[in-house]
Amino acid sequence: MDINSVYETIENVKSDIQSVSTKDDLEEFRLKYLVRRGIIQQMFEGIKSASPEERPQLGKALNELRQTAQTLFDEKKRELEQSRTLTADKLDLTIPGRRRPIGTKHPVTQALDDMTTIFKSMGFAVALGPEIEDDFHNFEALNFPADHPARDMQDTFFLDETALLRTHTSPVQVRIMMNQKPPIRHIMPGRVYRNEAISARSYCMFHQLEGLAVDENITFAELKGTLATFAKKFFGSGVKYVFRPSFFPFTEPSAEMDISCFLCNGKGCRVCKQTGWLEILGCGMVDPNVLKAVGYDPEKVTGYAFGMGVDRTALLLYGIDDIRMLYENDVRLLNQFS
Ligand code: PHE
């Protein structure tokens, strides 16, 4: 080995690094020159066989060779790493944007919205009330005297002596009447709570849409006309309906409204329990005792009220057979309502 072959190797190193363009090329370069069994180390071994006069020069040249190879290797390595991050950061502006997933309206919200739209078109305003109520608004002002058995109709979640989770939206009637003078024509949608055993048909929380109209000369005929108009708009013009006498402490007379089962068209099916009818709401003329409790004069004004269940109607409309599914928020169900 002579000094010229060392300088030749330096030239080789320089030209080899030129053709390195990938990590693999670089590794090949390293294995060729920089490892213990690589060319350079082997040349260092060759010093031993050189004459003593040649050794210092040879050693110097070999050090230069090693230095050059290492420096070029390091530079190339840095360059390759940098170009990798550059490719990763590169933006392709022609790629179509990613669509954000859009949520869907919950079936109960959808049913409530549709109901609300219909009543608004008939001149009703929307009012809301608190879900945590007191005994006065939920019961007493609505003509449920203390210890009256009618309170058993609604299994109540009590929070303490007087605070409770409202069992119906009717307390909002009381709040509206105590805050404003007739004429009143409002609907009151919202959540209500009852301490009931949870099953496919009942849940501890559900939704109601309450209605209230108070003015001079409001009649039961107007109540029936309003609800019949609603039913036709909501369930379809072919729907049949019937009012059955019923009882609520806060209305007199009271009724429940059934509509012909829209699943079997009144023929009788599993859903309507072969009766052909579905109960959708309770209603009646506001009891004079309620009008008195809120400071109205029952000799001057009359009113009607109704309260309809929203969840069961939504279940029937959308063909869902278990009320619990409404509150599990399984996206596989919710996605079907987009
Ligand atoms: N609040 C009654 C219920 O929860 C429904 C109702 C409302 C009845 C208004 C008559 C008038 O069952």
Side-chain angles (χ1 to χ4, degrees):
M1 184 192 59
D2 61 9
I3 191 103
N4 282 331
S5 65
V6 177
Y7 286 126
E8 221 169 84
T9 311
I10 291 186
E11 289 317 306
N12 289 343
V13 163
K14 285 180 179 165
S15 81
D16 277 0
I17 202 77
Q18 295 288 327
S19 50
V20 167
S21 63
T22 66
K23 262 172 86 176
D24 287 347
D25 297 346
L26 188 66
E27 180 63 4
E28 211 174 285
F29 178 89
R30 190 180 73 89
L31 293 174
K32 185 168 174 189
Y33 295 107
L34 295 172
V35 293
R36 279 254 303 264
R37 288 159 160 215
I39 291 177
I40 297 174
Q41 194 58 35
Q42 266 172 32
M43 294 175 95
F44 268 100
E45 306 286 330
I47 292 186
K48 291 175 200 147
S49 55
S51 66
E53 304 83 60
E54 280 177 328
R55 282 186 195 175
Q57 271 203 343
L58 211 47
K60 225 179 117 196
L62 280 171
N63 274 330
E64 191 188 329
L65 168 60
R66 182 155 62 189
Q67 197 63 51
T68 308
Q70 187 66 50
T71 311
L72 289 174
F73 173 85
D74 291 344
E75 272 172 10
K76 197 63 170 187
K77 191 174 172 205
R78 224 174 303 131
E79 192 183 299
L80 284 180
E81 269 163 9
Q82 216 160 44
S83 76
R84 238 204 357 257
T85 45
L86 277 181
T87 351
D89 286 350
K90 209 156 70 183
L91 291 181
D92 180 351
L93 298 177
T94 66
I95 291 177
R98 235 178 263 155
R99 282 182 190 278
R100 280 171 190 270
I102 296 180
T104 58
K105 268 191 191 165
H106 190 278
V108 169
T109 307
Q110 187 62 60
L112 266 173
D113 281 0
D114 292 348
M115 291 172 174
T116 303
T117 305
I118 294 171
F119 281 111
K120 272 187 176 168
S121 78
M122 293 196 275
F124 287 80
V126 180
L128 301 174
E131 291 176 20
I132 295 178
E133 267 295 2
D134 52 33
D135 187 90
F136 175 77
H137 292 88
N138 197 81
F139 290 123
E140 203 173 314
L142 289 168
N143 202 31
F144 289 84
D147 301 323
H148 192 282
R151 291 190 181 208
D152 283 352
M153 282 165 69
Q154 311 191 337
D155 302 303
T156 311
F157 285 116
F158 286 96
L159 301 177
D160 58 33
E161 285 288 297
T162 53
L164 49 86
L165 295 179
R166 68 181 178 190
T167 57
H168 51 175
T169 41
S170 301
V172 192
Q173 289 186 34
V174 176
R175 293 188 177 271
I176 291 177
M177 289 190 280
M178 294 185 84
N179 278 319
Q180 58 195 81
K181 299 254 153 304
I184 282 170
R185 197 173 294 266
H186 281 81
I187 51 166
M188 298 142 258
R191 287 185 168 184
V192 303
Y193 301 83
R194 289 189 199 177
N195 189 4
E196 275 170 17
I198 291 173
S199 71
R201 294 181 61 82
S202 61
Y203 203 70
C204 52
M205 187 263 305
F206 52 98
H207 297 74
Q208 289 188 332
L209 185 115
E210 190 87 8
L212 174 70
V214 185
D215 201 353
E216 288 168 17
N217 304 318
I218 293 244
T219 64
F220 198 89
E222 189 179 334
L223 168 63
K224 282 170 77 178
T226 303
L227 292 176
T229 306
F230 164 79
K232 285 185 179 144
K233 286 195 179 171
F234 190 80
F235 296 105
S237 54
V239 77
K240 290 197 277 282
Y241 56 89
V242 63
F243 288 88
R244 286 179 291 103
S246 185
F247 171 81
F248 299 101
F250 38 93
T251 48
E252 181 61 34
S254 303
E256 277 167 316
M257 185 189 194
D258 295 349
I259 55 159
S260 50
C261 178
F262 48 79
L263 295 170
C264 63
N265 271 322
K267 288 190 202 76
C269 66
R270 198 175 59 91
V271 171
C272 59
K273 293 187 189 140
Q274 312 303 330
T275 61
W277 297 98
L278 297 168
E279 181 199 319
I280 59 161
L281 59 84
C283 62
M285 299 305 290
V286 181
D287 194 289
N289 285 340
V290 175
L291 295 174
K292 273 186 236 160
V294 298
Y296 287 1
D297 181 352
E299 299 297 327
K300 289 208 177 107
V301 292
T302 52
Y304 65 73
F306 57 84
M308 66 180 75
V310 180
D311 305 61
R312 267 220 305 140
T313 305
L315 293 180
L316 294 168
L317 268 184
Y318 304 125
I320 304 169
D321 55 16
D322 190 325
I323 191 169
R324 290 169 290 197
M325 291 176 91
L326 292 179
Y327 299 107
E328 282 162 0
N329 281 333
D330 186 328
V331 288
R332 288 170 301 179
L333 176 91
L334 300 177
N335 277 339
Q336 294 176 44
F337 294 89
S338 51

